[in-house]
Amino acid sequence: VSGAGNVGIGTTSPGALLHISTNMTGASVTELLRLQIAGNGQDELGGEGAAINFYTPATGAADALGAQIYSYRESGVNTTMTTSLRFATNNAGTVTDKLTILGSGNVGIGTTTPNALLELSANVNGNTSPLRITNRDTAIIADQEVGLDFYSLDASEPDKITGFVKS
């Protein structure tokens, strides 16, 4: 513990409230922190997980949960469990999942059950779109188009555009 009250693990000069440090161990990922929910010796039913919660101060009230990152067990079978990583944020006092990465690799924004590599889901009304792509290049010529190109995975024609959307 430093004079400023910072706690150091693996360091004698912590630079934050909690500072964890270790030496590299070659070309590998080093576990620095483990969050674990211990089993109760029975088949878990699904829905269990470990979370990192972010609280923010609220004037005249208890601190409020502002955001959360958590693992979520999708299945209840211990030996073949499937988990997802979820990110939740607070919008007007309600914390809900905003981004989900399934064990399969599918990513959902606005859905916890994406059925594609990337699925965007939103309640939109009027001219609001769930996806916006902005080109910030200030040197765009008047007749230059901005858009999305779709490429083939065919190794014989790696740069073949199979479809496009232009503005």
Side-chain angles (χ1 to χ4, degrees), residues 69-85:
I69 301 171
Y70 67 102
S71 66
Y72 183 85
R73 183 198 300 258
E74 302 290 343
S75 63
V77 180
N78 288 333
T79 57
T80 60
M81 73 173 175
T82 300
T83 60
S84 62
L85 182 63

Side-chain angles (χ1 to χ4, degrees), residues 78-121:
N78 288 333
T79 57
T80 60
M81 73 173 175
T82 300
T83 60
S84 62
L85 182 63
R86 297 184 179 190
F87 295 79
T89 59
N90 188 327
N91 184 17
T94 303
V95 178
T96 57
D97 294 340
K98 302 301 188 297
L99 183 136
T100 299
I101 305 170
L102 294 181
S104 66
N106 288 0
V107 175
I109 299 174
T111 178
T112 58
T113 56
N115 292 306
L117 189 57
L118 175 61
E119 182 174 338
L120 306 176
S121 178

Side-chain angles (χ1 to χ4, degrees), residues 124-148:
V124 297
N125 22 354
N127 294 327
T128 305
S129 172
L131 176 64
R132 180 178 180 171
I133 300 172
T134 303
N135 185 341
R136 300 235 182 247
D137 186 352
T138 58
I140 294 177
I141 302 168
D143 63 350
Q144 183 178 2
E145 294 179 334
V146 177
L148 231 8

Side-chain angles (χ1 to χ4, degrees), residues 22 41 44 47 55-56 66 77 92 95 102 116 124 134 154 156 162:
T22 189
E44 279 68 22
Y55 282 83
T56 56
V77 180
V95 178
L102 294 181
V124 297
T134 303
D154 185 347
S156 66
T162 57

